[in-house]
Structures are given as C-alpha cells and as structure tokens.
Amino acid sequence: MVLWLTWGIPMQADDEAGLLVEYGAEKRLSRQWSVGVEGDFRLRNNFKTVDRFSIGAAANYQFNRWLKADASYILLIQNTCEDVELDDNGSVETWIPGSWGLRHRVHVSLTGSYHFENNICIALRERWQYTYQPTTTVRQWDADEGLWEDVEREGKGKHQLRSRLQISYDSKGALLVPYASVELYNNMKIDKVRYTAGTQIRLGTKHTLDVFYRYQDIRHQDCVSDPDMHYIGIGYRLKI
C-alpha cells in the first residue's frame, strides 16, 4: 500500500522536511450529531522554522453507516511567505519578507465509506475549503530607493476543492489501524497533491494516537518559498 502511494514521488534537492502535530477532542451529542475542537502545529525548513499553528471547531452529522457530513471553522496563525518582485534584468526590485498573519478558514465536507468483509475500508471525501487572509500592513524593501516602507497587502480569499481517497485496514478491537491516502487540491487546476501513509493507535475507547508520513507535492506555488514537503506527523484525539 505504501509503495503504491509513493510510486513516482519526485525527490528533489530543494525539498524540505517538517513536523506536523495534530490534536482534537470530540463529543457525541446523539447517534447522528457530534461536535469537537481541533488544531495543529507545523514546523518547516528542515524542522528549524515554525510554519503555523491553528485552533478550530467542527460539527459532524452521520446520515448512516457509510455517509457523513461535517463543517468547521479554523483560525490560522501563519508565518506567511516572502513576496519578491524582479525587474526586467532579473534583479530584486521589491522584497516583502515573511511575517506572521491571521487567516480564516471554513470547511464543508461529505465523506462516503464502504467496509468490506475482510476489514478493508475505502473512503472518499469531497471537501470545499475557503481561506481568507485579511488586509495587513507589512514592511517592504524598495531596492531602487534603498529604503524600507510600509505597504498595504490587500485581503484575499481562495476557494479549493479537496478530494481525498483513503484505504485502511480496520479490524474491530485491533490496536493498530493502518491507512494510506491521496488528496488533490483543485482550484481550476491541481495546486498540490498530498500522499499520506500511517497508522492509528487505539489506546482504549477514548484515546487515539496517529503516526504518519506525508509527502506534499506542490504543483502551483502561492509564493517563492513554497517547496515540496516531507512531513513526519503525530496526532492525538480524545472522545469525551
């Protein structure tokens, strides 16, 4: 399974490694409804730079055994990437260094899954995602003038459709639930592809750990410092 996911993944010298920590808690309100909180913390630049951290809230509705819907809001505090403009000769004309900023994100998802008799489960999730970055004032270096100046970076929003196909082996009562997935980010073009392989570790009925490897293949960069990523990930989820 892991070989199938990683087949053809390009290994480039300018790829970066990072750490991804995910956490969350879920409370079931009824047979159909549940609510929860979630968040994450990320390192990039070969584990040397904090990339972002987030906190959010979600609601889930289980239509039946094989179909569920969810919606969430997430507040992101992100180390935004630098912005460089070059002149006709290829020299730096203006430079806005990376800085911390807020982003607001909304998810709406629909997930269909099918459990085979041999404990294999296949799940397809379609998720609409909207991210908004508010207007901010940042420092810009003007090479022609040789000085720093304050400029306003206009707010912008981005819509994406995220399509994820996941296969897992879920034997009832087993300690480990191994899985692998491929996820496409689509914005009228494929922005990036995520390949993930890992396992959930059940620690009783309320606690679950998640250990995984993820390769993030960037197809269209949002900024110059947006490399392909190799993540080592760990997650924790509590059922209240």
Side-chain angles (χ1 to χ4, degrees):
M1 185 188 308
V2 175
L3 290 176
W4 173 74
L5 278 175
T6 56
W7 184 264
I9 292 177
M11 302 298 291
Q12 303 293 336
D14 55 354
D15 289 359
E16 290 187 3
L19 175 68
L20 174 56
V21 179
E22 299 177 337
Y23 42 88
E26 183 180 5
K27 171 68 174 178
R28 183 165 293 279
L29 304 179
S30 67
R31 292 184 61 183
Q32 288 80 31
W33 284 101
S34 63
V35 295
V37 294
E38 58 188 32
D40 72 359
F41 171 81
R42 297 186 185 184
L43 296 177
R44 57 176 172 82
N45 190 23
N46 299 322
F47 308 101
K48 294 180 289 188
T49 303
V50 177
D51 185 33
R52 82 176 202 193
F53 51 94
S54 69
I55 187 69
N60 304 275
Y61 184 81
Q62 191 80 38
F63 292 98
N64 48 46
R65 188 171 182 267
W66 57 271
L67 184 64
K68 70 175 182 178
D70 66 82
S72 62
Y73 164 78
I74 300 172
L75 176 65
L76 303 168
I77 299 92
Q78 185 143 2
N79 192 353
T80 57
C81 55
E82 63 180 347
D83 187 3
V84 179
E85 291 188 8
L86 305 178
D87 58 23
D88 295 337
N89 298 320
S91 300
V92 174
E93 187 171 20
T94 60
W95 171 54
I96 300 176
S99 60
W100 287 96
L102 292 178
R103 294 188 182 184
H104 304 277
R105 176 167 292 170
V106 178
H107 289 152
V108 178
S109 309
L110 193 65
T111 304
S113 59
Y114 186 81
H115 295 259
F116 295 89
E117 293 183 358
N118 59 1
N119 299 318
I120 296 293
C121 177
I122 294 180
L124 176 63
R125 185 186 71 187
E126 294 292 347
R127 166 172 285 178
W128 167 76
Q129 173 178 290
Y130 177 72
T131 306
Y132 179 71
Q133 182 176 338
T135 300
T136 56
T137 300
V138 295
R139 297 283 285 170
Q140 173 180 282
W141 172 255
D142 189 322
D144 292 335
E145 299 294 333
L147 52 81
W148 289 96
E149 56 185 359
D150 291 331
V151 296
E152 185 176 81
R153 176 179 278 174
E154 294 185 0
K156 60 180 180 179
K158 185 174 184 178
H159 297 269
Q160 287 180 305
L161 178 64
R162 296 170 52 177
S163 302
R164 189 189 71 183
L165 179 65
Q166 179 169 292
I167 182 171
S168 60
Y169 182 80
D170 188 358
S171 179
K172 187 176 181 180
L175 174 65
L176 302 179
V177 184
Y179 65 90
S181 68
V182 176
E183 185 172 17
L184 305 178
Y185 283 65
N186 185 8
N187 178 33
M188 304 303 292
K189 61 183 182 298
I190 302 300
D191 287 335
K192 61 184 174 183
V193 184
R194 282 181 172 176
Y195 304 87
T196 306
T199 184
Q200 294 181 358
I201 306 172
R202 293 185 175 120
L203 304 177
T205 59
K206 294 186 177 181
H207 307 276
T208 303
L209 288 180
D210 190 4
V211 181
F212 59 91
Y213 162 78
R214 175 175 294 161
Y215 177 71
Q216 186 164 278
D217 179 13
I218 302 296
R219 301 294 179 88
H220 290 87
Q221 292 179 314
D222 287 333
C223 57
V224 294
S225 57
D226 201 3
D228 295 339
M229 291 293 303
H230 300 268
Y231 283 111
I232 299 299
I234 184 169
Y236 169 75
R237 181 161 291 273
L238 170 66
K239 290 186 177 180
I240 303 174

